[in-house]
Structure formats: structure tokens, C-alpha cells
Amino acid sequence: MHLTTLLLMATLIWPVGPPRPEIIRGWDPPAGPYGPGHRGLDLAAPPGTPVKAAASGVVTFAGRVAGRGVLTITLPDTGNPPLRTTYEPVTPTVTTGTTVTRGQPVATLTTPPEETPHCPESCLHWGLLRGDTYLNPLLLLRHGPSRLLPVTGVP
């Protein structure tokens, strides 16, 4: 993994909260690019909740997709192609091209259109991508590098 990606991981925050939000639905990667799965995390939060940038970056999309508001932030120095975080359904409070800092409010959580409910209760769908590949956003919250511990009792 790219060194700056590892350093970035130690400095990210939850996009809603505190307190730490309940994960309503976890990441379930699809078997193929068009297969079923869940390409992000659903975090419990009521409509009107401020949504914060999980990391510093540049807003590369702020608009509507399939009837719901979506915000994408590209994270610099995270490899090629760079990592991107996505947030929906939201009303963005920043515009494309804006540089944002970790923890900065960037949107407000909205209720999804009635014809396409995503959660049984209100939630923020938080995604992570590198190019066209969806990744588990929880990888961003790992604090610091892994540590190897001594192994005893193994022949």
C-alpha cells in the first residue's frame, strides 16, 4: 500500500457523529462489476445531520444521480488512481472544485426519494473507490499501521 495512503488512514474521521454512528448495513463486495452487493456502509443518522469530510481532498462531484444528492471527494496523494469517498443522499454545501479539510461540514443528510429507499430508517451511504473498484470505507478508519506481536507456543 502507498505510504501516504497509510498515513492518511490514521487521520480520518467518521462522516457523521460523534458519537460513532451505528452501521446499519456493512460493506458486501460484489463478485463482479455488475453483480449484487453493497458498495459502501450505511450509517444511521436522521435527515438534517451535517455530513463531514472523512478526509481532506477536493470535491470532484456535487450533484444529483438517480434522483438523490451525491458528493464525491478525491483524496490527493493516495496513489494512482487516487482514492475517492462518496456520500449520499445529501444536499452538498460545497461545490465541485472546492478544497475541503478533514472534519469540515460538506453536506446535509437528506431523505432519499420514496421510490428508491435505501435504508429502513434514515442513513448516510458512505463509499470508497479507487478507479472503478469499490473498497470498504472502514479501511480508512484503521488507526496506524499493523503491529506484529510475538507468537509463542508454535512449533
Side-chain angles (χ1 to χ4, degrees):
M1 186 174 287
H2 199 269
L3 177 59
T4 51
T5 301
L6 287 172
L7 294 174
L8 172 74
M9 286 189 218
T11 61
L12 294 166
I13 63 164
W14 290 96
V16 291
R20 179 189 176 276
E22 174 190 356
I23 298 173
I24 297 173
R25 185 172 177 197
W27 186 67
D28 180 20
Y34 304 106
H38 193 242
R39 294 160 173 84
L41 298 176
D42 291 339
L43 306 176
T49 297
V51 176
K52 299 172 282 192
S56 298
V58 176
V59 176
T60 49
F61 183 81
R64 298 192 70 73
V65 175
R68 61 180 81 186
V70 177
L71 180 70
T72 301
I73 299 174
T74 298
L75 313 181
D77 302 322
T78 56
N80 188 18
L83 293 172
R84 295 172 309 184
T85 56
T86 61
Y87 311 86
E88 66 175 279
V90 297
T91 299
T93 57
V94 292
T95 58
T96 300
T98 303
T99 298
V100 298
T101 57
R102 174 180 59 100
Q104 177 182 339
V106 292
T108 303
L109 185 63
T110 61
T111 304
E114 285 184 29
E115 63 276 7
T116 58
H118 188 76
C119 297
E121 301 292 324
S122 176
C123 73
L124 173 72
H125 180 82
W126 180 33
L128 175 67
L129 297 100
R130 181 180 301 282
D132 293 334
T133 304
Y134 286 88
L135 304 170
N136 184 349
L138 287 178
L139 294 173
L140 293 175
L141 297 171
R142 193 179 89 201
H143 294 289
S146 299
R147 293 182 293 158
L148 297 176
L149 300 175
V151 178
T152 58
V154 176

